[in-house]
Amino acid sequence: MAASNLLSQSPTTFPTKSLKLPPNQFANHILPFKLKPISRTLTSLRARCPKAVLSTSEPKTQKFQHCFSKSEEDGFLYCEGVKVEEIMEAVEKRPFYLYSKPQITRNVEAYKEALEGLNSIIGYAIKANNNLKILEHLQKLGCGAVLVSGNELKLALRAGFDPTRCVFNGNGKSLEDLVVAAQEGVFVNIDSEFDLENIVAAARIAGKKVNVLLRINPDVDPQVHPYVATGNKNSKFGIRNEKLQWFLDAVKAHPKELKLVGAHCHLGSTITKVDIFRDAAVLMVNYIDEIRSQGFEIDYLNIGGGLGIDYYHTGAVLPTPRDLIDTVRELVLSRNLNLIIEPGRSLIANTCCFVNHVTGVKTNGTKNFIVIDGSMAELIRPSLYGAYQHIELVSPSPPDAEISTFDVVGPVCESADFLGKDRELPTPPKGAGLVVHDAGAYCMSMASTYNLKMRPPEYWVEDDGTVSKIRHGETFEDHLRFFEGL
């Protein structure tokens, strides 16, 4: 079947939620579509590839297997049984993000199973990935939402999240955004003295009492990159534990505006040792004991998020959601608390690949480069803080392809524009497909239009094997529209 015949022009409809937002100024310029099953039905694809299995290098972690796998029979990369190369032939010839909807579901179910026996809220961290279709799916699966801006709050409401299962974090929340949070009944974390003042003002404007948690900085070292460490004494987030009494007195002074219902901490991101979470939880329940002794009815412990994944694909046995929850389970039960967790990366990162085309291969005499059409503009994590993400080709290489060590780079005019360094790969032909794995979190949400590299489209493989577009790629015409009428 020709790739051009795979496109079915059936518009995607977005349900209208309670919050009314301005109309999409670009909606009339792009036609949504869905892709029919690629090449054949999902059943026949799997029949062609009966030995498609997880790479032996994949981490053996409960419920977190990769949805992207190489076939032992033909050497092609598949997503939920659908050949990635055929998806590339069917969609726009530009970099794109490709997700597995079933893997998102599996990841949520792993957390649900881990939390059995506890009163809990799985608060998905919207900052990790703010695709509306993904948010709607997570909401239907029963997740709450964790917000760090007013626009994230508006998007959560648009996606249908129950505001009473949402948490508003941040060290610089604006009064305007706090008013919306107060009106909707969102949990709000108190992060500083001025933050408390703004929350009180917002409660008065909204005419509603705000359920608040104290974000306490437990000064626990998460043993991660300093850019993603948030729970040590040098962090801009949270209140110093020695200031706890001041905040308790301030809350007591505003009984009409504030109801203190819990305590919160967040240690950082990419954490691979669950004992760190337990160390923080021990400190937090002791703070809760102290707070309760002063007459506050504390019902919630929020331990944040930050569970890491196997970006290296080396077979590391990493903690699962159950491992994480089991380290704090008895502490939560002993204080009769509701547990709030804030997973982002561990729910969405491993559900996605960033798919690129090889523009060419070059050498400068001492260094070899694979140049692709994607760049740091679409995926900045490696350039921003040296993050590693696994890279591989989507198709088998010819038997005579030379294996060399390459830097995988993009066309952006910066020496920092790389997706991976010192990667051992077969020399790819021009136009070959190349993917950056585990790109679901902090990749598209951090994308920019630097060098006028327009943000890419996004697709996912559905439960039935069909491929759907879930975000339009931006165009040059979209950029020009920001200047119309000026």
Side-chain angles (χ1 to χ4, degrees), residues 226-436:
Y227 285 11
V228 292
T230 59
N232 56 40
K233 64 182 179 181
N234 295 320
S235 173
K236 71 175 184 177
F237 300 102
I239 65 175
R240 304 192 310 275
N241 49 40
E242 61 266 27
K243 289 277 291 182
L244 177 60
Q245 189 59 53
W246 185 94
F247 283 93
L248 295 178
D249 292 340
V251 171
K252 288 177 184 176
H254 297 92
K256 294 181 180 179
E257 294 87 4
L258 306 177
K259 180 180 181 182
L260 182 59
V261 298
H264 170 272
C265 70
H266 192 291
L267 304 179
S269 192
T270 68
I271 299 170
T272 57
K273 299 178 180 178
V274 293
D275 286 349
I276 294 171
F277 288 98
R278 178 172 177 83
D279 291 344
V282 169
L283 293 173
M284 294 302 294
V285 295
N286 288 333
Y287 289 131
I288 286 173
D289 289 343
E290 182 180 340
I291 296 168
R292 282 176 167 174
S293 71
Q294 298 190 36
F296 291 98
E297 296 179 4
I298 299 297
D299 297 319
Y300 294 90
L301 169 61
N302 185 337
I303 62 169
L307 191 64
I309 68 166
D310 183 22
Y311 278 113
Y312 284 87
H313 290 207
T314 57
V317 180
L318 297 182
T320 67
R322 184 171 295 278
D323 294 331
L324 167 61
I325 300 305
D326 282 351
T327 63
V328 301
R329 180 182 301 276
E330 292 307 317
L331 287 169
V332 172
L333 290 173
S334 69
R335 298 327 195 266
N336 194 29
L337 291 164
N338 300 288
L339 180 66
I340 301 175
I341 56 171
E342 301 180 346
R345 184 188 318 274
S346 56
L347 279 182
I348 197 70
N350 73 339
T351 71
C352 176
C353 275
F354 180 45
V355 185
N356 308 267
H357 302 80
V358 173
T359 304
V361 177
K362 64 176 289 187
T363 181
N364 64 6
T366 59
K367 197 81 168 174
N368 301 317
F369 300 92
I370 296 174
V371 184
I372 60 175
D373 53 359
S375 71
M376 65 183 290
E378 296 92 349
L379 196 159
I380 199 174
R381 292 185 70 253
S383 300
L384 182 63
Y385 39 72
Y388 180 100
Q389 291 178 236
H390 186 62
I391 293 173
E392 66 179 329
L393 301 173
V394 305
S395 308
S397 301
D400 59 349
E402 182 180 356
I403 297 177
S404 298
T405 300
F406 296 95
D407 283 4
V408 179
V409 301
V412 161
C413 192
E414 294 285 347
S415 295
D417 179 27
F418 64 90
L419 283 300
K421 289 192 171 185
D422 298 323
R423 304 302 177 89
E424 191 173 276
L425 292 164
T427 302
K430 181 179 180 180
L434 178 147
V435 300
V436 181

Side-chain angles (χ1 to χ4, degrees), residues 450-467:
Y450 186 49
N451 281 197
L452 278 186
K453 291 273 289 170
M454 310 313 293
R455 280 181 282 256
E458 295 179 288
Y459 304 85
W460 68 12
V461 177
E462 308 243 22
D463 295 333
D464 62 359
T466 58
V467 177

Side-chain angles (χ1 to χ4, degrees), residues 9 17 47-48 50 89 115 123 163 166 251 273 275 282 319 426 431:
Q9 300 292 334
K17 304 299 179 183
R48 290 165 54 204
E89 293 171 355
L115 288 162
C166 293
V251 171
K273 299 178 180 178
D275 286 349
V282 169

Side-chain angles (χ1 to χ4, degrees), residues 39-180:
S39 182
R40 294 175 175 81
T41 65
L42 182 61
T43 302
S44 62
L45 269 170
R46 286 175 174 158
R48 290 165 54 204
C49 182
K51 294 183 180 179
V53 296
L54 296 180
S55 164
T56 55
S57 66
E58 295 300 330
K60 300 168 181 59
T61 53
Q62 177 184 345
K63 295 287 185 178
F64 279 74
Q65 72 272 19
H66 260 266
C67 48
F68 292 89
S69 59
K70 279 286 183 75
S71 165
E72 291 181 352
E73 281 193 354
D74 62 16
F76 285 91
L77 183 68
Y78 286 79
C79 178
E80 302 291 349
V82 182
K83 190 183 287 186
V84 173
E85 183 179 75
E86 293 188 1
I87 298 175
M88 294 178 68
E89 293 171 355
V91 303
E92 302 167 69
K93 299 302 183 286
R94 59 187 290 189
F96 64 92
Y97 282 95
L98 176 65
Y99 299 82
S100 161
K101 185 178 181 181
Q103 185 66 47
I104 298 172
T105 302
R106 290 193 289 266
N107 290 352
V108 173
E109 290 302 320
Y111 270 103
K112 285 184 175 179
E113 292 175 10
L115 288 162
E116 286 179 359
L118 296 175
N119 294 321
S120 62
I121 295 175
I122 302 173
Y124 168 69
I126 288 181
K127 65 178 181 175
N129 189 306
N130 55 31
N131 183 291
L132 178 60
K133 303 304 292 181
I134 291 173
L135 296 182
E136 289 174 341
H137 182 53
L138 290 168
Q139 179 272 321
K140 290 175 183 175
L141 292 171
C143 291
V146 174
L147 325 159
V148 292
S149 74
N151 283 339
E152 286 190 357
L153 171 54
K154 294 173 186 176
L155 190 63
L157 296 175
R158 174 66 179 265
F161 285 97
D162 178 354
T164 65
R165 292 171 59 82
C166 293
V167 182
F168 192 11
N169 290 335
N171 69 306
K173 301 183 284 291
S174 73
L175 177 59
E176 179 184 7
D177 293 341
L178 285 168
V179 170
V180 178

